[in-house]
Amino acid sequence: MILVLVEHEGGATTELTSQALAFGRSLAGDEPVDCVACIAPSQEIATDELGPGTLHLAEHDAYASLAPDAVAATVAGVVERTGARAVVAPGSDTGNDVLARVAARLDQPLASNCVAATAGEPARVTRTRWGGSLLEEAELDGAPLLLTVQPHAVAADVAGAPVAGVERFTPVLADADLAVRVADRVEAAGSGIALADANVVVSGGRGVGSTEGFAIIEELAGLLGAAVGCSRAVTMAGWRPHTDQVGQTGTKIAPELYIPCGISGATQHMAGCKGAKRILAIVDDAEAPILAGADYAVIGDLHEIVPAISAELRKARGS
Ligand code: FAD
């Protein structure tokens, strides 16, 4: 049996969970695929796409906020009880965190950010390294195999069936399992569109020039219903918060359209946007590396081009 860790928000399973399920099902072949989820007693989660295996549903007050050791203890417990051959988790920050803790508990290796895996002894995995700039082929010995799935590398499995059954249980947790937990959440200021899930992202780089310079980036993003991103040069300058940073040490995005403005296209930046379906680069340097990865480009001063695009959009919409 393959066990998939379910992440959920407001009762709905996340997009990255659907990708992990697709990965788990392709690894399983004819084997069953079960799921494990952790909820607080006041919560419920949708089960209609998690089947046709069993959902092992752990209920505990500890899950009201994120407590990665508590989730890891529960996952390890389900593995021991069921003899799962592999555990697959979403490649989110949380999924990687939890599965690393599961690996430590079970004294097994973890292969993170996998894009493909083939069962066997040993199993073979392909995974991204160095911020996505290379693919590593590796052999993985493990019982169970522990894998997280590189975000947006696998199409989400939306053809899931309802679960065959739900096994609810209350795990016994030690005090140490609760030592690390999220105590508070502060909503980020901004458009409210999450960078990681946005269909369109407009980013600014050093070429934007200042905090105030982002007004034209925000205006264009607002017109396109887009999230605002930025490069690390921008966060280092303190013009935007780190939560807006796209790249190897920022958020990995996979929008339908990415519009980097005044960004040169360093490998560490491209590592975060290689999942974009289309890239429209706006930059004044015809030799900038971003152009190698762009589908469309406008070469020139973003301070003229970005407001001109916004003006055209307003004109086309009659506003
Ligand atoms: P620059 O490289 O300075 O490029 C600015 C571009 O804007 C230039 O092409 C310039 O010609 C153009 N420009 C200037 N003025 C205008 C104008 N008026 N109109 C149009 N174009 C204009 N970077 C990230 O972005 N994300 C990461 O997650 C990240 N992680 C990193 C991790 C490590 C370990 C390291 C070492 C680096 C990392 N970096 C990351 C930094 C990365 O190497 C680059 O330094 C950074 O991406 C550069 O940002 P930039 O493109 O905005 O600036």
Side-chain angles (χ1 to χ4, degrees):
M1 183 268 280
I2 308 282
L3 187 65
V4 175
L5 174 63
V6 173
E7 292 183 343
H8 52 92
E9 283 166 11
T13 53
T14 63
E15 167 78 10
L16 296 189
T17 296
S18 301
Q19 294 172 16
L21 267 168
F23 190 97
R25 286 172 184 145
S26 71
L27 180 65
D30 295 336
E31 275 181 85
V33 177
D34 282 8
C35 290
V36 55
C38 298
I39 59 171
S42 59
Q43 297 174 324
E44 276 302 331
I45 62 167
T47 59
D48 39 339
E49 287 183 0
L50 299 179
T54 298
L55 171 63
H56 304 266
L57 189 58
E59 282 183 319
H60 199 289
D61 287 330
Y63 304 135
S65 63
L66 176 64
D69 272 319
V71 178
T74 301
V75 173
V78 174
V79 167
E80 278 161 14
R81 203 168 65 242
T82 61
R85 188 175 65 77
V87 183
V88 177
S92 60
D93 291 344
T94 311
N96 281 319
D97 184 357
V98 167
L99 222 58
R101 292 168 196 268
V102 173
R105 281 170 187 269
L106 299 179
D107 198 20
Q108 295 294 318
L110 163 66
S112 57
N113 300 323
C114 294
V115 298
T118 315
E121 291 184 6
R124 295 195 64 82
V125 295
T126 307
R127 64 195 199 114
T128 61
R129 300 295 305 271
W130 295 358
S133 54
L134 75 81
L135 287 175
E136 176 188 81
E137 302 276 351
E139 293 182 346
L140 180 65
D141 286 298
L145 299 172
L146 301 175
L147 312 120
T148 66
V149 182
Q150 169 74 13
H152 310 298
V154 178
D157 200 341
V158 288
V163 290
V166 179
E167 288 189 6
R168 288 180 185 262
F169 63 103
T170 305
V172 178
L173 299 172
D175 287 347
D177 297 333
L178 303 174
V180 178
R181 58 189 310 185
V182 172
D184 194 13
R185 284 176 187 271
V186 180
E187 286 300 320
S191 64
I193 300 168
L195 202 50
D197 304 328
N199 261 333
V200 183
V201 175
V202 184
S203 277
R206 200 193 308 270
V208 172
S210 65
T211 304
E212 297 70 35
F214 269 84
I216 57 173
I217 304 293
E218 282 179 347
E219 182 192 24
L220 178 58
L223 286 164
L224 294 172
V228 173
C230 68
S231 69
R232 182 153 121 167
V234 167
T235 54
M236 297 288 276
W239 300 342
R240 303 289 294 188
H242 179 74
T243 45
D244 284 2
Q245 184 178 311
V246 171
Q248 179 181 330
T249 47
T251 301
K252 312 270 188 305
I253 60 170
E256 291 295 319
L257 176 63
Y258 182 47
I259 309 181
C261 307
I263 292 179
S264 62
T267 50
Q268 297 90 349
H269 187 83
M270 300 313 285
C273 64
K274 60 172 51 156
K277 310 285 179 302
R278 293 275 184 278
I279 297 181
L280 160 61
I282 300 173
V283 69
D284 66 359
D285 175 5
E287 303 294 320
I290 190 98
L291 299 176
D295 300 278
Y296 314 98
V298 186
I299 312 291
D301 184 353
L302 71 91
H303 298 285
E304 293 171 13
I305 295 161
V306 173
I309 297 174
S310 295
E312 283 301 318
L313 283 170
R314 284 190 202 289
K315 209 191 300 171
R317 292 172 189 178
S319 59

